[in-house]
Amino acid sequence: SGSVSTDSEKTLAHRIGSQDSQVSNDGGDADGPDHIWPRQSSLSSREWDIPLDEVILEEKLGDGQFGVVHKGNWHGAVAVKMLNMESASHQRRSEIMATFRQEVATFRKTRHENLVLFMGACVKPPNLAIVTSLCKGLTLYRHLHFQTDKFNHNRIGSIARQICLGMGYLHARGILHKDLKTKNIFYENGKVVITDFGLFSVAKLCQEGRRGNYLTIPRGWLYYLAPELLKDLRPGVEHPDLSFSTRSDVYAFGTVFFELLTGTWPFRDQPPESIIYQVAKGIKPSLANLYSIVEYKDILMFCWSYQAHDRPDFTRLQGHLERLPKRKLSRCPSQPSNPTRSN
Ligand code: ADP
Ligand code: MG
């Protein structure tokens, strides 16, 4: 029985190692247990498939641009993002499928404390869904715009640093988020979890199916769009090829940072055309009335640099935030009664 246990340990070791086995062939597997599990490599492309009937769907969490999101149970609490393909034409469906597979392939490469845990995908048309861990806290969006929670400087620093860590990791792995916004950042017990990275293209394809062949700009999206992206969104251009880059993600982070500092939106109360005009021209909201330390204002303006190449990257931002001295909280500007806060 000793040899059986050794073999199964080897198999286990191999399986654990095999998640990246296509990449790394080194390690002590020279005489490898491939003969024990010869179909491992052919299995690996399906390794993340989850049959939808294994997932118990519970209440609906909400509607997003991707489709409906449900709470569910699959070996514990999960979030299930169902893709809505109903209104898509036959040709469009195969396009959505291909994009979906590609984006799932990206998603499953991620393992970071500040990123939502990808658990698997249902890839049997017409049932397409993504299963992730369930985030229990509220989104920053809800904290800031509904609960009007006010975070003190140190907390803002901690949240921003964690976002930079998660985003720095994504970029290092060659993944663009493309939809970084406070609605996609959960915050619970001091911990930040970023969701919905790399799902933008499939979400966009599904939207086009539902709303006709043009890309609408939901108001909540506009605020995060870098000037170079806004310029791609000219009326009449049906399938704009948006010039997303690591630096357009940094621009979006700038807006998240602005929300953290002010609890509101840049250019709030202005009509979308006016916002588009100003951002495309490089006009930024004034920070003159913003109660904040100058270092934070500098970071904000740096992230909102007009030229993409002038914006910092997340690793640099993270390091910068890390080095800022902690503030004493005795005169905390975030106390609800404090009248100096700008909004
Ligand atoms: P959006 O991000 O624009 O709000 P989504 O489709 O991503 O749209 O989400 C729809 C709803 O489901 C939102 O209320 C969102 O907070 C919730 N949700 C999405 N992903 C998760 C998750 N992993 N855990 C908990 N709730 C989630
Ligand atoms: Mg989302």
Side-chain angles (χ1 to χ4, degrees):
S1 68
S3 75
V4 171
S5 118
T6 309
D7 277 354
S8 60
E9 275 163 22
K10 266 190 177 178
T11 310
L12 182 63
H14 178 62
R15 290 190 64 198
I16 292 169
S18 74
Q19 281 157 357
D20 286 317
S21 63
Q22 286 95 331
V23 184
S24 85
N25 278 327
D26 56 335
D29 268 5
D31 61 342
D34 284 351
H35 61 285
I36 298 168
W37 205 317
R39 282 171 301 154
Q40 183 65 39
S41 58
S42 61
L43 279 175
S44 61
S45 66
R46 321 238 75 193
E47 152 180 47
W48 301 104
D49 288 10
I50 300 176
L52 199 53
D53 53 19
E54 278 187 14
V55 182
I56 300 160
L57 287 183
E58 292 165 12
E59 74 258 29
K60 182 172 153 180
L61 292 171
D63 275 304
Q65 42 176 339
F66 193 77
V68 184
V69 183
H70 280 273
K71 187 173 174 218
N73 196 297
W74 188 71
H75 305 286
V78 292
V80 187
K81 271 183 173 257
M82 321 272 283
L83 195 85
N84 186 342
M85 281 218 294
E86 266 155 31
S87 53
S89 66
H90 189 70
Q91 191 201 345
R92 179 45 69 96
R93 279 183 188 207
S94 54
E95 194 182 342
I96 292 177
M97 274 301 295
T99 310
F100 181 77
R101 284 187 172 282
Q102 211 179 334
E103 298 199 329
V104 162
T106 304
F107 213 143
R108 64 181 228 205
K109 283 196 297 186
T110 55
R111 286 143 199 272
H112 189 277
E113 230 198 321
N114 299 114
L115 300 179
V116 76
L117 177 68
F118 171 82
M119 297 181 72
C122 308
V123 282
K124 210 166 146 205
N127 294 327
L128 299 187
I130 285 189
V131 180
T132 66
S133 58
L134 183 76
C135 303
K136 300 209 182 60
L138 297 178
T139 60
L140 285 182
Y141 176 80
R142 290 206 76 84
H143 274 293
L144 295 167
H145 300 287
F146 279 80
Q147 305 221 136
T148 58
D149 290 337
K150 291 161 176 64
F151 297 126
N152 67 47
H153 279 118
N154 291 343
R155 190 159 288 243
I156 289 171
S158 155
I159 293 171
R161 263 196 324 275
Q162 294 181 65
I163 299 171
C164 290
L165 284 171
M167 290 300 301
Y169 169 90
L170 277 185
H171 287 178
R173 306 227 64 184
I175 302 167
L176 300 179
H177 192 302
K178 300 186 181 178
D179 198 17
L180 184 64
K181 55 181 184 182
T182 45
K183 281 186 176 175
N184 282 338
I185 303 171
F186 283 83
Y187 186 60
E188 190 198 8
N189 291 333
K191 193 178 158 198
V192 164
V193 174
I194 303 171
T195 65
D196 289 349
F197 29 91
L199 292 176
F200 178 81
S201 308
V202 80
K204 189 179 96 162
L205 285 169
C206 293
Q207 282 244 315
E208 283 174 5
R210 269 182 281 167
R211 296 198 187 162
N213 274 337
Y214 56 91
L215 186 69
T216 49
I217 311 183
R219 224 186 142 78
W221 190 41
L222 181 59
Y223 301 116
Y224 301 98
L225 290 179
E228 67 272 15
L229 296 179
L230 278 179
K231 288 182 198 163
D232 292 337
L233 290 171
R234 287 205 203 86
V237 182
E238 281 195 357
H239 296 287
D241 224 353
L242 298 179
S243 31
F244 286 112
S245 65
T246 54
R247 306 301 156 117
S248 59
D249 279 347
V250 172
Y251 186 94
F253 170 78
T255 302
V256 170
F257 200 57
F258 181 91
E259 290 173 72
L260 283 168
L261 293 177
T262 65
T264 182
W265 307 99
F267 301 112
R268 71 174 170 157
D269 304 332
Q270 295 193 30
E273 311 80 65
S274 151
I275 298 177
I276 292 173
Y277 176 84
Q278 293 176 81
V279 173
K281 285 255 173 225
I283 301 167
K284 299 183 183 79
S286 162
L287 303 184
N289 295 324
L290 169 61
Y291 182 90
S292 176
I293 56 172
V294 67
E295 289 91 338
Y296 281 178
K297 294 189 187 191
D298 288 347
I299 288 175
L300 179 52
M301 283 303 160
F302 202 12
C303 293
W304 272 349
S305 298
Y306 185 68
Q307 299 291 346
H309 58 77
D310 288 338
R311 296 173 208 145
D313 63 40
F314 281 109
T315 310
R316 184 166 170 206
L317 269 175
Q318 201 279 126
H320 185 62
L321 282 160
E322 194 83 58
R323 286 189 299 274
L324 290 180
K326 289 256 186 315
R327 301 257 146 178
K328 286 209 193 82
L329 293 179
S330 49
R331 284 184 60 240
C332 165
S334 66
Q335 294 305 314
S337 58
N338 191 312
T340 51
R341 194 162 186 280
S342 79
N343 60 344

